[in-house]
Amino acid sequence: MSAAFRLTDSTLRDGSHALSHQFTVEQVGAIVRGLDAAGVPVIEVSHGDGLGGSSFNYGFSGTDERELVSAAVAATTRARIAVLLLPGIGMADDLRDMAGRGAQVARVATHCTEADIAEQHIRLAKRLGMEAVGFLMMSHMIEPGQLLAQARLMESYGADCVYVVDSAGAMTTPDVRARVGLLAERLGCQVGHHAHNNLSLAVANSLAALDVGAAQLDGCLAGLGAGAGNCPTEVLLATCDKLGLRSGVDPLRAMATAEDLVRPLRPSMGVIDRAGLLLGYAGVYGSFLLHAQRAAARFGVDVGEILLELGRRQVVGGQEDMIIDVTLGLARGQAEVPA
Amino acid sequence: MTLSCVVIGSGNIGTDLVNKLLRSPSLRLRALVGIDPASEGLARARALGVEATAEGVGWVERHAGEIDLAFEATSAKVHAANAPRLRQAGITAVDLTPARLGPPVVPTVNLADHLDAPNLNLITCGGQATAPIVAAVAGTCPVPYAEIVSTVASRSAGPGTRQNIDEFTRTTARSLEEVGGARHGKAIIVLNPAEPPILMRNTVFCGLPEGYDQAAVATAVEDMVAQVARYVPGYRLKGAPLFEEGPFATPGGPAAARVVTLLEVEGAGDYLPSYAGNLDIMTAAAVRVGEAMAEAKVAGVRA
């Protein structure tokens, strides 16, 4: 029986935001073994902001992601290891290195209006013999028709799948249905959905995506992830199981891995508190949360004010440096009037 | 002394450069050189009274005796083909593409070292905007690691940048080492589609060693901003340099602290709109390089 969808677990990539990118080789090995034993087909491992993300702007990795990917490749028996790359942050050489280490899936992410900067890296992934996935971040910011045009660019470069990515956890269920549905209807390649839980809709939106034709979904164990967290892998699997949607992954094993290996990490993000909800409400990139909290504490500014101002300025993924700028402005009482 | 120059490439950058060159006291614009007779850029130049040809670099070769300097505003690939022909013709090339055939040059940092070079490369807009800040900090203390985030309006990033974003990122990072003097450089490039378009903004992080002099670093950064602003009037600090204590384990080694410099670049609005400070800083730097060469020739004659 063919699976209803293919699951990519991103605990070791998007989840690393919640741990300030401090995963160790031992943790990666153990979590990969747990996911692999549960039957998860694809496991993503990278700095939270993708290859080359280790930086002042996004936070330095505790362990070089090259070591983490090698550890993941060594620990897996069936699952394919994926890496994330944002053009402008990660480089072609990083991707070549990862292919050499045994990563088999390249997910190439751009802001939803900038798909054409992914051409070099999607084409390179295909030349390296990797599966290429296009990742359109902050997909809530544009209309379905505009998103389709961008997705078509990624498909034309050779992407095997294009994801509608709800980086801010800002999409309601109708938003997801409209975007994923249109792409699934019009694209020749597969369509995926990456959900965040800011509005408590991650599982519901993932199910809606499946209903309108998505072939791939993302999750993180225990919902570990930026902002209010990702779609919780084990909750998604349990729900799909009850609905008779087979993914080929054992929900009980996934639950055990989440409970035994991820919950003890006590992540600093992944709850729908006021700040987590505000990200989704204002449409702000989830990984800004920790940086905004730090800036708020340092300059004595309310974190909610920072997030709302970032939303008004239409800041996009990668612009973590704007948090300093906005916070300093608020601290001086000089927040610029939004244009 | 005036130098006679041509602009090769009749796109947005070439047109903006034509506008700036027409105001220069020491650079005389001989022609705008394109390859497409139907180019709007050539028509715009003619409307300004500038000779415009669609005969490409061949035209430049045929008029080599009348030309000292060629500003290359095409693409890295085209410049790679043109560069040997310009050199053969005895014409100095100021390269606004990321071809990187000649030494990377930022006018306020290392122009004096390269005035005799047959080919000078202007790196990238991100490099022009940020390498001088790194150089300013590195003038006061060793900088183990410098990292920049350069955000430009989507509308100001043309197809050349988009299709070659990897080279753009790498060339910018390398300039932080080669021109800025950091031990290790990293560049992050972000495109923002907000409407109305945002001004180019740059954040420069420099790792600082034990015992750095905060006042000296701040003064050096502020002085450098003032120097760059002499030829790019819209180049400005968004606040005083911000110092943060570490320690930080950077790829270039440990840093006791870091200084964060937030910059904004508003274009002069010559041909390109004022949000395109990223393009303006390239054309302004190109004119500054040409004028410095003219000044050097004057000095050479006097000596």
Side-chain angles (χ1 to χ4, degrees):
Chain A
M1 181 177 159
S2 72
F5 64 96
R6 189 180 81 166
L7 178 68
T8 295
D9 183 277
S10 188
T11 307
L12 298 171
R13 197 282 298 171
D14 215 351
S16 77
H17 284 293
L19 302 170
S20 299
H21 321 288
Q22 300 301 303
F23 273 120
T24 63
V25 164
E26 293 71 27
Q27 288 167 334
V28 167
I31 291 170
V32 167
R33 278 190 292 277
L35 290 167
D36 183 53
V40 172
V42 181
I43 300 169
E44 188 174 53
V45 184
S46 299
H47 183 282
D49 295 273
L51 302 179
S54 180
S55 58
F56 273 137
N57 202 34
Y58 308 123
F60 289 113
S61 300
T63 301
D64 190 316
E65 62 197 343
R66 289 172 291 193
E67 286 179 51
L68 299 182
V69 168
S70 289
V73 169
T76 183
T77 64
R78 291 177 294 175
R80 294 150 70 79
I81 303 302
V83 293
L84 181 79
L85 185 146
L86 279 66
I89 300 176
M91 309 287 293
D93 284 343
D94 297 325
L95 198 54
R96 290 189 190 97
D97 179 82
M98 289 298 169
R101 287 169 193 274
Q104 294 177 283
V105 182
R107 306 215 298 177
V108 182
T110 73
H111 183 69
C112 57
T113 55
E114 314 297 319
D116 58 357
I117 63 169
E119 179 173 3
Q120 268 187 311
H121 302 88
I122 289 177
R123 290 193 193 282
L124 173 63
K126 297 310 295 179
R127 278 202 303 279
L128 292 168
M130 302 173 89
E131 180 184 333
V133 174
F135 218 61
L136 290 166
M137 301 187 293
M138 302 287 274
S139 284
H140 73 281
M141 289 181 85
I142 56 175
E143 294 305 312
Q146 298 172 294
L147 194 64
L148 175 64
Q150 296 290 311
R152 278 190 165 135
L153 290 175
M154 285 182 159
E155 184 181 29
S156 75
Y157 307 144
D160 300 292
C161 177
V162 178
Y163 263 68
V164 174
V165 181
D166 186 12
S167 315
M171 280 197 219
T172 62
T173 305
D175 292 336
V176 172
R177 295 186 78 92
R179 287 166 177 75
V180 174
L182 183 66
L183 267 56
E185 185 189 317
R186 303 285 181 83
L187 295 183
C189 68
Q190 290 192 335
V191 175
H193 182 56
H194 174 102
H196 278 267
N197 208 30
N198 305 64
L199 300 176
S200 198
L201 290 173
V203 173
N205 284 351
S206 298
L207 295 174
L210 284 184
D211 191 44
V212 295
Q216 299 195 24
L217 293 176
D218 283 8
C220 291
L221 293 168
L224 194 73
N230 285 60
C231 181
T233 295
E234 69 283 8
V235 181
L236 176 68
L237 290 169
T239 309
C240 286
D241 198 50
K242 287 177 72 88
L243 289 168
L245 295 166
R246 305 284 165 216
S247 63
V249 187
D250 180 349
L252 293 171
R253 279 182 181 254
M255 283 181 224
T257 306
E259 193 71 14
D260 299 343
L261 298 180
V262 178
R263 292 220 177 267
L265 300 174
R266 297 182 171 277
S268 57
M269 291 192 274
V271 291
I272 311 176
D273 55 9
R274 185 179 71 119
L277 174 57
L278 273 175
L279 291 166
Y281 183 67
V284 175
Y285 198 69
S287 59
F288 283 17
L289 180 57
L290 201 58
H291 302 278
Q293 286 169 333
R294 286 192 192 127
R298 176 158 183 227
F299 297 103
V301 176
D302 177 60
V303 70
E305 288 301 314
I306 299 173
L307 296 175
L308 288 169
E309 179 64 18
L310 289 166
R312 280 193 283 268
R313 294 215 196 169
Q314 303 174 60
V315 165
V316 304
Q319 283 191 276
E320 269 77 345
D321 58 316
M322 276 297 285
I323 295 167
I324 303 173
D325 195 350
V326 161
T327 307
L328 287 173
L330 289 167
R332 287 194 299 254
Q334 297 169 347
E336 287 165 28
V337 178
Chain B
M1 177 165 187
T2 37
L3 294 182
S4 171
C5 57
V6 292
V7 173
I8 306 177
S10 59
N12 289 340
I13 299 264
T15 300
D16 195 74
L17 192 49
V18 163
N19 280 271
K20 284 183 168 61
L21 288 169
L22 289 175
R23 289 201 299 268
S24 171
S26 55
L27 299 172
R28 193 168 48 78
L29 180 59
R30 176 67 184 79
L32 173 66
V33 180
I35 50 166
D36 175 8
S39 152
E40 289 174 27
L42 296 180
R44 281 189 298 258
R46 285 192 194 104
L48 291 168
V50 174
E51 180 165 357
T53 168
E55 293 169 34
V57 72
W59 186 94
V60 181
E61 287 172 322
R62 288 192 292 281
H63 295 78
E66 308 161 37
I67 300 164
D68 302 304
L69 204 56
F71 294 100
E72 181 88 46
T74 55
S75 70
K77 202 173 162 189
V78 172
H79 182 58
N82 287 348
R85 295 172 66 176
L86 294 171
R87 190 165 188 170
Q88 184 69 37
I91 296 169
T92 299
V94 177
D95 174 20
L96 287 79
T97 81
R100 255 186 123 269
L101 301 180
V105 170
V106 171
T108 53
V109 180
N110 65 346
L111 176 55
D113 303 338
H114 300 297
L115 282 173
D116 299 336
N119 189 317
L120 294 85
N121 178 255
L122 292 180
I123 318 169
T124 62
C125 56
Q128 284 296 330
T130 62
I133 302 300
V134 178
V137 177
T140 71
C141 60
V143 174
Y145 175 72
E147 173 185 316
I148 68 102
V149 186
S150 193
T151 306
V152 303
S154 295
R155 282 218 236 156
S156 69
T161 301
R162 289 166 176 277
Q163 285 159 15
N164 297 291
I165 188 150
D166 215 74
E167 290 76 3
F168 186 94
T169 311
R170 184 169 34 217
T171 299
T172 306
R174 206 161 0 163
S175 76
L176 306 178
E177 301 167 8
E178 293 177 349
V179 179
R183 190 180 308 145
H184 187 97
K186 178 172 181 63
I188 294 170
I189 312 298
V190 180
L191 305 182
N192 180 308
E195 290 291 340
I198 58 159
L199 298 180
M200 181 200 201
R201 39 168 307 115
N202 302 282
T203 300
V204 185
F205 299 91
C206 290
L208 299 168
E210 212 62 71
Y212 72 93
D213 180 341
Q214 183 165 326
V217 172
T219 304
V221 168
E222 282 160 9
D223 286 352
M224 182 59 82
V225 171
Q227 285 180 53
V228 176
R230 268 183 221 147
Y231 62 91
V232 191
Y235 183 85
R236 57 189 174 238
L237 279 173
K238 287 219 67 190
L242 184 67
F243 291 85
E244 299 181 296
E245 292 303 315
F248 301 100
T250 81
R258 72 182 189 186
V259 57
V260 189
T261 305
L262 304 174
L263 297 156
E264 191 169 76
V265 189
E266 181 175 2
D270 285 327
Y271 171 68
L272 303 161
S274 59
Y275 62 76
N278 47 315
L279 306 178
D280 196 66
I281 198 170
M282 292 297 283
T283 53
V287 173
R288 181 69 206 108
V289 167
E291 289 179 346
M293 287 176 172
E295 287 158 22
K297 288 259 162 90
V298 175
V301 171
R302 280 189 197 137

